[in-house]
């Protein structure tokens, strides 16, 4: 029973796994950065448009409660 506890708790050396990670160049990530930035910009513009619509609606259209103007 002690053998499997020692096996699980033993640290793994990365050299023994022989993994080969290739890190992308910064220019490879540029299209992703452009798409993310463009999405954030459009989301911000949409939020401003919704806020302006609700502000104008509350300001210029009369509010009705129970069928009466207030």
């Amino acid at each position: 029973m002690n053998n499997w506890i020692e096996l699980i708790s033993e640290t793994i050396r990365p050299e023994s796994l022989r993994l080969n990670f290739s890190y992308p160049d910064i220019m490879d990530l540029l299209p992703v950065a452009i798409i993310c930035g463009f999405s954030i910009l459009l989301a911000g513009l949409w939020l401003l448009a919704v806020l302006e619509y609700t502000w104008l609606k509350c300001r210029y259209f009369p509010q009705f409660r129970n069928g009466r103007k207030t």
Side-chain angles (χ1 to χ4, degrees):
M1 183 161 172
N2 290 336
N3 291 339
W4 69 271
I5 293 175
E6 290 174 7
L7 183 66
I8 290 175
S9 63
E10 183 179 328
T11 58
I12 298 175
R13 291 184 216 110
E15 306 89 40
S16 65
L17 297 176
R18 295 184 184 140
L19 298 175
N20 186 11
F21 292 112
S22 63
Y23 296 105
D25 190 23
I26 193 71
M27 293 305 290
D28 295 337
L29 298 175
L30 187 61
V32 175
I34 291 172
I35 290 171
C36 289
F38 191 67
S39 298
I40 291 171
L41 178 68
L42 287 179
L45 289 175
W46 177 81
L47 182 63
L48 286 175
V50 168
L51 289 174
E52 183 178 358
Y53 172 76
T54 56
W55 180 75
L56 288 174
K57 185 177 179 183
C58 291
R59 183 175 176 138
Y60 292 114
F61 295 129
Q63 298 291 327
F64 289 96
R65 290 190 185 161
N66 297 329
R68 298 181 185 172
K69 270 190 188 180
T70 56

